[in-house]
Amino acid sequence: MRSAYERLVRPLLFSVDPETAHRVTIGSLRVASRVDPVLRALKLFQPSAKPKRVFGLDFPNPIGLAAGLDKNGVALPAWAALGFGFIEIGTVTARSQPGNPRPRIFRFLEQSALINRLGFNNDGADAIAKRLSKLQRSGRWPDVPIGINIGKSMETPLTKATEDYLCSFRLLREFADYIVLNVSSPNTPRLRELQEPAALSELLAAIGEKNLITRKPIVVKIAPDVTPEELEQIVSLCEANKVAGIIATNTTIDHSSIPAGHDEQGGLSGAPLREKSTALIRAIVARSKIPVIASGGIMDAASAREKIEAGAQLLQIYTGLIYRGPRLLRDIAAALK
C-alpha cells in the first residue's frame, strides 16, 4: 500500500520542476526546525530504535540522511525528528558558490532515478559554521551524529585542493561528529582525480595532521565507477591513513539505464545505482575492515537489507526519500535485525 506521501504529497512536488520542489521541501523543514509543536508531530514518523556503534559513535538507528539534500545545514532538528539515525550535511566548500546553471536536476520516474549536476551549490564553510554555531546556542541541536561533507571549491585549481579542504575542515570540525571528504562527485571538473593515489595521499595526510587534536572520524566518499585496481589503491591509502569509514558510493556517470533521447549530463542516483553500489561494498568488505556506509539505490526495505548483507555498517538515503517519503525509514528499520 502506498503511503500518504506517495499518494498526496509526491504528486504535488512532482508537478513542479525538481529544484523548486527541493527548495519548497527544505524551506518547509527549515521552518519546522524552529517550531517545537511541529517537531513533536514529525516524531510520529520515527522508526523503531536499532542502536548501532560505528567508528566510536553511537547511532540510534543505522539509517542516515545522505549529503546533498540539506547542503547548508538548515533543517537539522527536523531531520532528527523524522527519525534519521544520523544526518550528513553538505557538500560544503571553502567558498560560497552558486553551482552549475539550471536546469540541473532531472527526474526519471520509470527508472526511479534522478540525475543531478548541481555542482556543490552552497553558502560556503564560514556561513555554515556560523549557522551551526547559532543552532547549538538555540538548544535544538540534534541528539544524533552529524556528519559534514566537504569538497573542493569549483574555482580552486586541483593543485590547491588540499588547502581548500583544510580551510573547510578548520571552520567546520567543531560542529561535526565525523567529516566526509567528497572526492568523487562527477559535477565538479576533475574532482574525481583526487581519488588518484598521489592526490588522495596528500589530502589524507594533511587532514590527518590537522585532526591530531580534535580526532574526528574521517570518512572518504568514493565513486561507483572506479576500477578494481583503483579501488585497491583507495582502500590501501585509507587504511594507511587510518580513515574511519568509506561511503560507497556517490552518483554514477554510467547512464546506460536511461533512454538515450532523455539522458542528461550529471550524476545518476536511485534504483539504477543499486547493483553497482552493492558490488563495490562487497569488494571493500572483502579487502578491508574499514566500516562501509552504503549509499546508492536504497529505495525500499529489500535494497537496504541487501546493503547490510553485503557488509555495510550504516545506510544513507537520498533519492529513495524523494520517491518514497519518510515512511521509507520505518520500512527499512522494520526489515533490519
Side-chain angles (χ1 to χ4, degrees), residues 18 39 57 62 87 90 121 130 132 157-158 160 212 224 242 271 281 290 293 304 316-317:
L39 291 175
L57 299 177
I87 304 158
N121 54 310
K130 290 175 181 175
L132 296 178
L158 210 61
K160 302 285 187 180
L212 288 173
K242 297 181 171 55
I281 293 166
I290 296 177
I293 302 173
Q316 288 184 325
I317 58 175

Side-chain angles (χ1 to χ4, degrees), residues 309-329:
E309 291 171 354
Q313 298 289 311
L314 299 168
L315 308 169
Q316 288 184 325
I317 58 175
Y318 180 127
T319 306
L321 183 66
I322 292 170
Y323 276 89
R324 295 285 315 283
R327 198 179 80 174
L328 179 59
L329 279 77

Side-chain angles (χ1 to χ4, degrees), residues 13 20-30 79:
L13 292 175
T20 297
H22 178 263
R23 189 171 64 251
V24 169
T25 301
I26 292 297
S28 300
L29 291 171
R30 182 176 193 166
W79 297 120

Side-chain angles (χ1 to χ4, degrees), residues 224 248-249 273-282 294-297 307:
T249 63
L273 185 53
R274 174 178 174 175
E275 187 176 334
K276 190 183 285 279
S277 171
T278 302
L280 206 64
I281 293 166
R282 291 195 181 102
S295 179
K307 305 295 188 191

Side-chain angles (χ1 to χ4, degrees), residues 55-57 148 150 165-166 168-181 204-218 242 244:
F55 44 77
L57 299 177
I148 303 182
I150 60 176
Y165 280 86
L166 284 171
S168 297
F169 179 76
R170 285 191 294 265
L171 287 166
L172 295 166
R173 60 186 168 184
E174 67 178 286
F175 307 106
D177 292 294
Y178 69 93
I179 294 279
V180 180
L181 305 180
L204 290 176
I207 292 290
E209 182 181 347
K210 294 299 180 184
N211 195 37
L212 288 173
I213 297 175
T214 50
R215 297 198 179 276
K216 301 288 183 175
I218 303 299
K242 297 181 171 55

